[in-house]
Amino acid sequence: KTFTQERELLSVYTKILMAKPANAAMLQLIVGFLVGAVFVSIFSGSGSNYSQSAYGLSGLLSPTFGHYDELFLGDQNTFDPPQRKPGYVYRSTTYQSLYDKTWTEGGYPAQSCWGCRFAVDVTTKLQFHTMLDAGTGNGALTRLMRQHGKNAYGIELSRAVLEKECPDLLSKNYVEPGILTNLPFEDNSFDLVMSSDVLEHIHPEEVDQVVKELVRVSRRHLFLSISLKGHTKATADKDDEAHRHTMLRPREWWHNIFRKHGAVVNEEMLWAMQEKDFSYVGDKLGDCRWEGKQDDGGLYEVCNVDNKWLVGKREQENLRRDRCITNANKELEPWFFSFRKIR
């Protein structure tokens, strides 16, 4: 698709060149640049679905690693709090008590931080200063981002975990209780909205409103990890914890939902962050399951593979001995999703 679009652009510029010989020198430079972009797209490698578009024409027209993203960002020096949405009223959900219990009674390890494992990579690959952690849990990612000089804030369903594990952040209003269907901030409040393995926990009837809200408060970037696996069901000790992944859908389904609400895939960032491994085939795949919903995005296969990886902050030494992979595209968890808000 990328090659076809670039070939059409080449055709257009060639016709212009033929029609206006007086501008030939300048237009020859343009055509030469476009030809180079096409060849880079073609030969950038076939191992990733993202490689051609990531190194194609759109990426090459960018001054750095982005489509002039800095033009959409806010003040890069402010530590003022984000403006509140007029008329905001705090609400909770019917399942808050489940996550209060999960966070405070051992369902999640104390001071665990799923997003901390890849947060520093995000700070080096995206330009941003103001940031929202949507589903901040114990506030660890919000705290880490502030340590890196970002004007970071977090919102979390479980008031109990905020009171127990990050009362200092709570007292400074860096984190607050709330729900993703009803964010308390004005439109375009944050350069970046992050969310780390949260959206698989929402309910199907909430999806549109959650995505709409995340896009609404972002100025430009959205970067998320969304779990695509249901394998926690087999290992959870308690039945209520075994069914926490209530929203399992394939990658393209999530891409379409964000596109519907005004955000398009940041393919360069996705290419840079998402790990793939095509060596996992045959008997290297175990405990394969079909996830998703046939009449809503279709089914997709998720398998376990022997692939040790660190989860959370390095110093926690939380080494897991196996890992899940979506078999069709060989993407290893965590499954990353990256978007740009379009105006």
Side-chain angles (χ1 to χ4, degrees):
K1 180 179 178 181
T2 302
F3 174 76
T4 301
Q5 291 172 338
E6 291 169 355
R7 185 173 59 186
E8 290 171 353
L9 282 172
L10 283 175
S11 176
V12 170
Y13 280 111
T14 302
K15 290 177 181 178
I16 295 174
L17 180 61
M18 297 296 292
K20 295 184 178 295
N23 296 323
M26 179 62 70
L27 288 172
Q28 282 175 349
L29 289 174
I30 294 172
V31 171
F33 177 81
L34 290 167
V35 170
V38 170
F39 276 96
V40 170
S41 293
I42 295 171
F43 295 111
S44 58
S46 58
S48 167
N49 289 340
Y50 316 117
S51 58
Q52 289 190 7
S53 55
Y55 283 107
L57 175 63
S58 57
L60 286 171
L61 289 176
S62 306
T64 54
F65 185 67
H67 294 215
Y68 300 100
D69 290 327
E70 67 275 10
L71 300 179
F72 299 90
L73 305 180
D75 187 339
Q76 299 297 285
N77 298 298
T78 183
F79 282 92
D80 292 338
Q83 295 297 307
R84 308 292 287 185
K85 181 173 67 174
Y88 170 74
V89 177
Y90 167 78
R91 297 195 301 268
S92 187
T93 68
T94 57
Y95 51 88
Q96 177 187 335
S97 59
L98 168 62
Y99 289 93
D100 283 341
K101 184 178 180 181
T102 298
W103 274 109
T104 60
E105 297 183 17
Y108 295 138
Q111 288 305 310
S112 62
C113 180
W114 184 264
C116 291
R117 183 66 181 84
F118 49 84
V120 176
D121 284 336
V122 174
T123 66
T124 61
K125 291 178 172 64
L126 291 177
Q127 181 182 350
F128 69 96
H129 179 62
T130 53
M131 173 263 187
L132 173 68
D133 183 19
T136 195
N138 54 26
L141 180 57
T142 301
R143 189 186 303 278
L144 179 65
M145 284 295 190
R146 297 194 77 87
Q147 290 170 353
H148 279 265
K150 306 301 184 182
N151 190 20
Y153 298 84
I155 192 159
E156 168 57 36
L157 171 63
S158 172
R159 181 186 294 269
V161 69
L162 299 179
E163 294 174 345
K164 180 181 180 181
E165 295 200 33
C166 55
D168 58 327
L169 298 181
L170 186 62
S171 66
K172 295 175 181 178
N173 296 318
Y174 294 156
V175 298
E176 64 179 284
I179 56 176
L180 301 188
T181 54
N182 182 37
L183 295 175
F185 312 107
E186 281 192 346
D187 297 1
N188 306 309
S189 289
F190 304 96
D191 296 334
L192 168 67
V193 172
M194 275 190 73
S195 180
S196 307
D197 274 38
V198 173
L199 265 61
E200 69 272 13
H201 296 274
I202 65 177
H203 290 182
E205 64 273 13
E206 299 174 313
V207 171
D208 272 302
Q209 184 61 25
V210 167
V211 174
K212 180 180 178 181
E213 283 289 277
L214 296 179
V215 174
R216 179 183 67 79
V217 301
S218 169
R219 276 183 167 270
R220 183 60 164 170
H221 299 298
L222 298 104
F223 187 82
L224 312 90
S225 64
I226 305 175
S227 182
L228 304 181
K229 68 180 184 180
H231 286 63
T232 54
K233 299 172 186 176
T235 56
D237 296 328
K238 302 175 183 178
D239 185 67
D240 55 357
E241 292 181 9
H243 297 89
R244 289 182 304 210
H245 287 193
T246 51
M247 196 64 224
L248 295 174
R249 297 293 187 272
R251 171 176 294 284
E252 190 57 36
W253 186 93
W254 284 109
H255 286 180
N256 289 336
I257 290 293
F258 276 86
R259 188 180 301 115
K260 173 183 174 181
H261 293 289
V264 297
V265 176
N266 180 340
E267 297 196 51
E268 305 100 305
M269 186 66 174
L270 184 56
W271 176 86
M273 293 292 292
Q274 182 61 58
E275 186 177 354
K276 292 188 174 190
D277 194 328
F278 288 87
S279 70
Y280 288 108
V281 295
D283 59 5
K284 292 183 179 180
L285 302 170
D287 193 15
C288 294
R289 308 180 188 184
W290 290 97
E291 302 292 356
K293 192 174 181 183
Q294 184 66 62
D295 61 353
D296 188 21
L299 302 180
Y300 60 99
E301 190 177 32
V302 183
C303 302
N304 266 329
V305 295
D306 182 6
N307 186 305
K308 298 177 180 62
W309 61 310
L310 284 172
V311 178
K313 292 180 284 189
R314 294 178 186 274
E315 57 266 29
Q316 290 180 306
E317 299 182 351
N318 184 6
L319 179 66
R320 296 192 181 180
R321 299 191 177 278
D322 57 10
R323 199 170 179 185
C324 281
I325 188 170
T326 44
N327 197 25
N329 55 17
K330 301 301 182 184
E331 291 182 349
L332 289 160
E333 63 173 319
W335 293 281
F336 293 124
F337 294 79
S338 185
F339 303 95
R340 286 186 175 96
K341 180 177 180 177
I342 55 176
R343 296 299 193 268

